[in-house]
């Protein structure tokens, strides 16, 4: 049997997980020296409540080879064929850890057919790619087609996001304390993208929360291909107010085929805080794959 699996850094909505019985490997988070598993032993709501407390010590690490081996072995034992789409190597070491686990499993099951794909994406960015593969599989696509589709979407996915506060980027070392403190005082907000190598890049900085949200929508308008033929994503860090504002701004100018809403989990939220908001879309549309996605999405 062909199985598509992923990890919780996709921030995949529960309804999609349930619909496709998707196996989501949980990413770890350490809170006050206690290990938790994103979505398994801690919910996003619980996590953000803890994150809001500046006195709590929160760290993250990527899924390690032992965790991956535990996840992969049951598929090898059953003789399943597997596609695992993982968190960007430009942000975390997930891809390398997964490959180490694959080699360990192959020692016992040399015929195990496991394809590990670096999504070069984050959050609902690779969540959308997984979702599209699941829709294609639902319509009967074979593994070769699914891998080809994954590579197409990875080449054309765009992420743009901003944060309400800079303190988490400062704490995580992604922004110098001097620049971050000065930016906080001036109410400056970074507008960030994930580049083609899957790394974070600052696109620009703007003053004020609403202007930062407008900058997201402007970036989408400038780079999106045929929004009426697209499944897009919008993600937030347990911030309903910011989600509503950004969603309204987006839908005033862009009408996607489908808009998937997601909550940013521990893997990314620990480094951004509650106020993160992001939009994911594609800068190209595939005539080979898209028609099948739409028929599936409407079922």
């Amino acid at each position: 049997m062909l199985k598509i699996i992923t990890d919780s850094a996709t921030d995949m909505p529960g309804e999609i997980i349930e619909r496709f019985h998707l196996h989501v490997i949980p990413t770890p988070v350490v809170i006050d020296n206690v290990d938790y598993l994103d979505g398994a032993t801690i919910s996003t709501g619980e996590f953000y409540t803890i994150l809001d407390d500046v006195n709590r010590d929160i760290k993250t690490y990527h899924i390690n080879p032992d965790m991956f081996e535990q996840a992969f072995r049951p598929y090898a034992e059953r003789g399943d064929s597997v596609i695992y789409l993982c968190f960007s190597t430009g942000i975390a070491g997930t891809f390398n850890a997964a490959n180490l686990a694959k080699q360990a499993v192959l020692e016992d099951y040399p015929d195990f057919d496991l394809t590990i794909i670096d999504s070069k994406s984050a959050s609902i960015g690779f969540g959308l790619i997984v979702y599209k593969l699941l829709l294609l599989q639902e319509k009967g696509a074979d593994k070769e087609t699914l891998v080809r589709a994954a590579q197409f979407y990875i080449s054309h996915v765009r992420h743009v996001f901003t944060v309400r506060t800079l303190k988490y980027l400062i704490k995580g070392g992604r922004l110098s304390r001097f620049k971050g403190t000065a930016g906080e005082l001036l109410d400056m907000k970074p507008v960030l993208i994930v580049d083609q190598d899957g790394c974070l890049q600052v696109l620009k900085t703007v003053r004020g929360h609403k202007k930062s949200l407008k900058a997201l929508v402007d970036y989408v308008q400038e780079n999106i291909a045929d929004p009426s033929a697209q499944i897009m994503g919008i993600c937030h860090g347990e911030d309903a107010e910011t989600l509503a504002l950004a969603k309204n701004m987006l839908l005033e100018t862009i009408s996607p085929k489908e808009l998937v809403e997601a909550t940013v989990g521990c893997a990314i939220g620990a480094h951004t805080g509650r106020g993160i908001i992001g939009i994911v879309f594609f800068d190209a549309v595939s005539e080979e794959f898209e028609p099948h996605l739409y028929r599936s999405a409407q079922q």
Side-chain angles (χ1 to χ4, degrees), residues 184-216:
E184 201 88 314
L185 290 172
L186 294 171
D187 196 27
M188 300 302 293
K189 310 297 181 189
V191 177
L192 302 104
I193 60 170
V194 178
D195 67 19
Q196 290 185 335
D197 296 320
C199 300
L200 297 181
Q201 300 289 344
V202 178
L203 183 67
K204 63 170 77 172
T205 56
V206 297
R207 179 172 291 179
H209 185 54
K210 286 189 178 180
K211 286 184 179 179
S212 71
L213 300 184
K214 184 179 184 303
L216 303 187

Side-chain angles (χ1 to χ4, degrees), residues 29-50:
V29 59
V30 184
I31 302 172
D32 299 329
N33 297 315
V34 177
D35 282 35
Y36 296 87
L37 295 174
D38 185 15
T41 60
I42 187 169
S43 69
T44 54
E46 292 168 333
F47 170 71
Y48 280 103
T49 298
I50 293 169

